[in-house]
Amino acid sequence: MNRPFRPALDGVAFIAAVASACCLCAQAGESPLPHLVSKDGRHALIVDGAPFLILGAQSHNSSAWPATLPAVWSAIEAAQANTLEVPVYWEQFEPEQGRFDPAIVDQLLLGAREHKVRLVLLWFGTWKNGSSHYLPMWMKRQTGLCPLIIGKDGRRVDSPSPHSAALLEADIRAFRELMRHLREADPRHTAIMVQVENEPGSWNTVRDYSPVAQKLFAAPVPVELLTALGREGRAGGDWTAVFGSDADEFFHAWSVARFVGQVAAAGKAEYPLPLYVNAALRDPISRPAAGSYESGGATDNVLDIWKAAAPAVDVLAPDIYMSDTARYMRVMDLYGRPDNALLVPETIGSAAGTRYCYAALARGAIGWSPFGVDSPGRGAGAAGPTQAGDAALDPIAINFRVLNPMMREVAQWGFEGRLHAAVEERDARQQTLALGRWQAAVTFGPPTFGFGKAPKGNPDPVGRVLVAQLGESEFMVTGYLCRVDFKVADPASGSQREFLRVEEGSFEGGAFRPARIWNGDETDWGLNFGSAPQVLRVQLGTF
Ligand code: DGJ
């Protein structure tokens, strides 16, 4: 009973081997550089030498200032996040041409260490939500330095040109400086990832129609792209000849991704932290026509183009603000690929939205992070919590309170493909998880005694369960407002489930420490989870 449980983690040895083989350990006294590893089509973010899960929270856009950071730190504490995602603004970082001011970066590093959390820095450079509003004022005053793109009607569009060499050069210089500064100022790797730009692309036009863009559009599609897409046979064809009705959008995606890829590569050459680009999404199910969503960004239909154009970008990450389950899941399935780790860098932190955290983990996500956690009460128009006070962050904290103590284990289980999840739906209060020899029967709603009663569901569909399969008949289970039971998957076997032992406990120092055994009312009708953070180790047998 008191024997600490250590899961058999084959992958740990693998990760240690990868880390040393790649010489990623820094000099003595420094921690190894955060990096991504991939195996069998799954991914892990390695931080301090082991898989790490970004249980993140992102600040509002204009919060990375000394005056507003106290509210950010307090929100991080209330949300119980282990990582703060926070912008670094070009206009703040290079207030005068060639003069860089890293003071805010240093303040963020210090604050994160004090609060014992990690940082993901968001480079608000050339693009922020398709526009270039974060360019320093000295650049905005020199229009030649930051040309805008031209729409089909010949009018300027509020979006920077991906064809401007001067803009690219200026962004490279600044981003390189940011990464150089991080390398020097952060030997402990408090910052574990950097986002390059923010939702790059363009709204209100599918592409740039300026003379320079028109010329490129009429030129042959780069062989590099054709090769990456397996379309070498089309060499010599222009964009329209090769891509037909997709030509405008694909051309813009290539142009934006080439620009961002060069910024990323320059920064990475200074300091090779994992880099990602976030994307404003298109509807993943109706797949509407180009022009109705941000064009040129890493939408699901151009991921291959982005991969070919920007190899220095490690991860293409969806900002998921969709509140219906089918779309949320579809997006995660489209972005979690053997060549792309699933990372949800922005999402909804509402009570219903936070149930998708478990669904992300079951898909092997390396991180999941609600947006706009500080300054709640901004009103319904802004993303992020709409109520005032820390209580607004409770839905996020409910997940993170359970996950934080076993974050390393969950990250490892995700990497090994051991995780399964169910999330409540109004029309699916009863769900089944396939677990090899076993099935987990999950029902949502207030705990009840007795079998055979139809599950009532919760007033709002907020229930969720996360199951890690550690062995054929051994599981770690946590849930919220639901009941979990197990049955033998093959009914013809005639065998029935027996709970050999159900232990409630917690993870400490990499080991599961049981605190009590559940039995009697706690197991006779299945395992009932209320709102308390509970983790169960379940060992099953049959009779
Ligand atoms: C997505 C962007 O990436 C964020 O910076 C923010 O603008 C949200 N949309 C909306 O609040």
Side-chain angles (χ1 to χ4, degrees), residues 440-452:
V442 184
T443 50
F444 294 102
T448 48
F449 287 110
F451 292 117

Side-chain angles (χ1 to χ4, degrees), residues 150-489:
I150 307 293
K152 208 171 190 172
D153 58 3
R155 289 166 64 91
R156 273 199 291 272
V157 177
D158 184 14
S159 188
S161 166
H163 306 294
S164 165
L167 183 55
L168 174 62
E169 201 185 305
D171 198 342
I172 283 179
R173 212 180 309 120
F175 187 64
R176 191 185 269 153
E177 188 61 27
L178 172 63
M179 296 304 280
R180 193 192 62 73
H181 182 77
L182 263 187
R183 186 190 70 218
E184 288 173 1
D186 190 24
R188 290 156 61 180
H189 309 305
T190 298
I192 53 175
M193 285 188 94
V194 175
Q195 177 188 292
V196 192
E197 316 295 344
N198 191 89
E199 295 191 349
S202 307
W203 290 94
N204 303 319
T205 183
V206 178
R207 69 170 174 92
D208 184 11
Y209 294 84
S210 66
V212 58
Q214 290 298 79
K215 202 165 157 203
L216 290 167
F217 187 70
V221 174
V223 173
E224 200 183 336
L225 177 60
L226 292 175
T227 308
L229 300 180
R231 297 171 99 166
E232 296 90 337
R234 307 304 304 272
D238 66 20
W239 288 83
T240 310
V242 176
F243 296 116
S245 58
D246 290 323
D248 291 331
E249 185 184 14
F250 286 12
F251 170 73
H252 200 45
W254 172 260
S255 307
V256 174
R258 283 296 274 190
F259 185 118
V260 177
Q262 289 176 77
V263 175
K268 211 167 205 178
E270 285 296 329
Y271 183 39
L273 273 190
L275 302 177
Y276 75 93
V277 168
N278 63 332
L281 306 177
R282 66 173 195 157
D283 188 312
I285 292 177
S286 68
R287 295 182 289 167
S292 60
Y293 52 90
E294 187 179 5
S295 179
T299 46
D300 67 74
N301 53 330
V302 295
L303 294 180
D304 291 338
I305 295 177
W306 266 83
K307 287 286 175 192
V313 173
D314 300 285
V315 177
L316 302 172
D319 291 344
I320 316 184
Y321 288 94
M322 293 160 184
S323 53
D324 80 281
T325 301
R327 286 182 169 74
Y328 205 110
M329 304 297 166
R330 180 84 186 118
V331 167
M332 292 198 290
D333 291 339
L334 287 166
Y335 282 78
R337 318 192 319 180
D339 64 350
N340 195 60
L342 176 62
L343 167 67
V344 183
E346 290 183 35
T347 192
I348 318 160
S350 67
T354 51
R355 75 200 200 279
Y356 297 132
C357 175
Y358 284 6
L361 299 182
R363 285 166 171 75
I366 59 168
W368 182 90
S369 180
F371 176 82
V373 291
D374 57 313
S375 62
R378 285 161 44 111
T386 50
Q387 298 159 0
D390 287 351
L393 300 172
D394 278 354
I396 304 170
I398 283 166
N399 282 341
F400 290 177
R401 195 177 297 133
V402 176
L403 294 171
N404 253 316
M406 56 177 182
M407 175 275 282
R408 295 286 186 180
E409 286 77 14
V410 175
Q412 180 70 40
W413 295 332
F415 186 39
E416 294 174 353
R418 295 177 185 275
L419 295 175
H420 305 263
V423 299
E424 181 174 1
E425 293 304 316
R426 284 193 198 287
D427 56 0
R429 294 169 175 168
Q430 197 153 2
Q431 298 181 33
T432 302
L433 296 175
L435 304 165
R437 186 186 167 205
W438 299 96
Q439 285 182 345
V442 184
T443 50
F444 294 102
T448 48
F449 287 110
F451 292 117
K453 298 180 188 168
K456 293 193 185 106
N458 293 297
D460 287 318
V462 297
R464 62 259 200 178
V465 66
L466 185 67
V467 177
Q469 183 155 23
L470 305 182
E472 185 186 62
S473 302
E474 187 166 336
F475 304 89
M476 284 286 168
V477 186
T478 186
Y480 182 70
L481 300 178
C482 65
R483 171 193 284 185
V484 183
D485 203 349
F486 293 84
K487 61 181 183 192
V488 176

